[in-house]
Amino acid sequence: MRFYYTDHFELPLPVGHRFPMSKYRQLRQRLAQSPDHRSDVFVVPGAASDEQLLHCHSHRYVRAVTTGTLSESEIRRIGFPWSPAMVERSRRSTGATIASSRAALAEGISANLAGGTHHAFADAGEGYCVFNDAAVAIRTLQHEGVIRRGCVIDLDVHQGNGTASILAGDNDSITLSVHGAKNFPSRKVASDIDIPLADGADDETYLAAVSTGLSLLAGMGPFDLAIYLAGADPYSGDRLGRMNVSKSGLSQRDSIVIAWAAQRQLPLAIAMAGGYATEISDIVDIHAETLRQASIRWRVIAGTGPAH
């Protein structure tokens, strides 16, 4: 199973910035220490090209991001200070989801060790999201004729408003979002399937919602590719999540999603999406468990291990 990483493309942030950028490097290091992963499965992706970004984003926006001519209000909306390194990082993270999607189509399952930038709109970034990696990946592969229909399984605690907006009205690009009803963003954009949950939702409530969402999504299939945004932020210890889901509950969620895709022989590309726990080690625990579940499934696909 291939892991695409971009953590060495540093995004310089001011001291005290609340985005936990180090989680990506710590996740890769945790995975690299495992005897289950050879060093050659860690791959640096290419950067998303203008042509690929323009399948989802406007010429004006891509140019403004690239040249550093975003307005102050646009930069505040993104939440990161502009720099050439920010542009490179954003292109690489989007490129990682494109590459992961290609690998999933070839091998069954793959992962971007970052990504899930689902608040980016066609003409604006938002909420730490510059370019919308999942939407760009699906539209790029559709444009190339590699896939016809794709879906986004968005289980970040925040509603995927940017993805829903970009892919709205496209019957070949279906969006599912299970999220906090009163959490960011304050103004939601309707996904094809939205399942909003109250603050404090526990494991039982959350897992039931995920299962319901996947059942509804199955009825809108079949698909050629699924992109799974495996957010760590529904976790009870997340600073921004406002839910009460345990690490065990999130592990069960991952198992449900991965099994759902496997039962349909549906290629699955995974992106990490959000995670803002006070202890970064908790975020890494959750993402590492997602990838452990995925690695088990990959070994079954490859015929090198049991399904357990």
Side-chain angles (χ1 to χ4, degrees), residues 210-248:
V210 170
S211 295
T212 297
L214 291 173
S215 178
L216 293 170
L217 185 62
M220 302 181 75
F223 303 103
D224 304 307
L225 172 71
I227 299 179
Y228 170 33
L229 276 55
D233 43 11
Y235 173 52
S236 58
D238 195 274
R239 291 180 289 116
L240 306 181
R242 294 163 54 173
M243 285 195 185
N244 194 31
V245 181
S246 68
K247 289 182 182 179
S248 174

Side-chain angles (χ1 to χ4, degrees), residues 234-300:
Y235 173 52
S236 58
D238 195 274
R239 291 180 289 116
L240 306 181
R242 294 163 54 173
M243 285 195 185
N244 194 31
V245 181
S246 68
K247 289 182 182 179
S248 174
L250 291 173
S251 176
Q252 291 177 66
R253 173 201 70 176
D254 296 332
S255 180
I256 290 168
V257 173
I258 292 165
W260 181 89
Q263 289 163 6
R264 291 161 178 78
Q265 298 184 314
L266 176 61
L268 185 67
I270 304 172
M272 298 298 96
Y276 308 93
T278 303
E279 298 294 331
I280 292 180
S281 60
D282 287 331
I283 307 172
V284 175
D285 288 346
I286 293 165
H287 286 325
E289 174 61 15
T290 299
L291 298 170
R292 188 189 73 84
Q293 297 272 359
S295 295
I296 291 171
R297 175 49 52 188
W298 184 87
R299 289 196 291 272
V300 172

Side-chain angles (χ1 to χ4, degrees), residues 15 52 69 74 80 85 87 91 117 120 128-129 147 161 177 180 200 219 233 256 300 303:
V15 175
Q52 291 168 334
T69 54
E74 287 179 307
F80 293 142
V87 179
R91 284 183 180 270
T117 47
Y128 307 138
C129 302
I147 65 170
N161 55 343
S177 180
D233 43 11
I256 290 168
V300 172

Side-chain angles (χ1 to χ4, degrees), residues 102 105 140-148 224:
R102 294 192 196 280
L105 290 166
T140 294
L141 295 174
Q142 288 173 331
H143 179 78
E144 293 174 356
V146 176
I147 65 170
R148 187 176 74 85
D224 304 307

